[in-house]
Amino acid sequence: MTTPRIGVLAVQGDVREHAAALDRSGAVAVPVRRPDELDGVTGLIIPGGESTTIDKLVRAFGLQEPLRARLADGMPAYGSCAGLIMLADRVEDARADQETLGGLDVTVRRNAFGRQVDSFEADLVVRGIEDEDRPLRAVFIRAPWVESVGPAAQVLATVPEGPAEGPAAGRVVAVRQGHLLATSFHPEVSGDDRIHALFVGMVRGR
């Protein structure tokens, strides 16, 4: 089986942690900072960080249009936390000059968890991952949530309903739309590689 070369957008965020999770999941991780580095990968991870900063750096490095073109052409991409915002078609509480790469038919609210319920952890049932009946421990750090999901996107996980979760209860935190995958949480820091394994499988499937 061919080992896929998957890029990690290396302008901000948990680049090394995502790269390590990809290595453990059977892929070769490649940092991507320039358009020519994007040409050599068959999938891309957009890490967490600060979405407005990532947007500015993507434009400064001349990556915005090449990324949009590759995504439109079907390149698999996975965005975690700020990466979810970068892949969303619509963003609530965005800065007036903020742009996204788009592709996911969702509306995302920036810093929703960070402003309302602080950083926290929760056990989630995530559809599509290996052994999906076994909960995945999800780490949320000033995370967005998915405010609404259009007909083209599929919900993979929500925060469990319960008084302990407060305003986070029931919120959508993982979605997929064809070749695009996104989560509000940071699987690269939890030690559970099933999200990355799912994404590597998506890349192989293309």
Side-chain angles (χ1 to χ4, degrees):
M1 182 182 296
T2 303
T3 302
R5 290 172 56 84
I6 297 178
V8 182
L9 186 64
V11 297
Q12 193 195 40
D14 291 343
V15 176
R16 283 181 290 185
E17 291 84 352
H18 276 292
L22 284 173
D23 290 341
R24 294 192 298 267
S25 301
V28 174
V30 180
V32 171
R33 297 183 187 87
R34 300 189 304 269
D36 63 312
E37 294 169 335
L38 183 62
D39 294 339
V41 302
T42 53
L44 182 75
I45 288 180
I46 305 174
E50 212 293 312
S51 61
T52 56
T53 300
I54 293 173
D55 169 40
K56 289 177 181 178
L57 291 173
V58 161
R59 284 187 267 173
F61 285 111
L63 278 165
Q64 186 187 67
E65 290 310 316
L67 280 169
R68 285 177 171 170
R70 287 294 306 275
L71 293 172
D73 194 43
M75 178 184 68
Y78 163 52
S80 65
C81 197
L84 162 61
I85 297 171
M86 290 296 295
L87 290 176
D89 284 343
R90 300 170 297 277
V91 182
E92 296 284 347
D93 291 340
R95 288 178 45 156
D97 61 345
Q98 185 170 358
E99 299 180 20
T100 71
L101 300 172
L104 277 175
D105 184 16
V106 299
T107 300
V108 173
R109 183 170 296 279
R110 288 181 66 238
N111 297 327
F113 288 111
R115 289 177 180 170
Q116 299 190 40
V117 290
D118 295 331
S119 300
F120 72 106
E121 299 183 15
D123 291 324
L124 306 180
V125 174
V126 183
R127 296 173 59 189
I129 64 172
E130 183 180 358
D131 193 16
E132 64 180 41
D133 291 333
R134 176 166 58 90
L136 182 145
R137 190 68 171 172
V139 179
F140 296 85
I141 305 171
R142 290 188 58 80
W145 64 43
V146 178
E147 194 83 2
S148 63
V149 179
Q154 175 189 17
V155 175
L156 299 186
T158 59
V159 176
E161 297 278 0
E165 282 71 29
R171 295 293 183 176
V172 174
V173 292
V175 292
R176 178 176 178 179
Q177 183 175 328
H179 62 289
L180 302 179
L181 175 70
T183 64
S184 298
F185 52 88
H186 290 264
E188 75 279 6
V189 301
S190 70
D192 189 328
D193 295 329
R194 286 180 289 167
I195 295 290
H196 290 83
L198 170 62
F199 181 61
V200 171
M202 290 168 55
V203 175
R204 285 198 173 109
R206 299 293 293 188

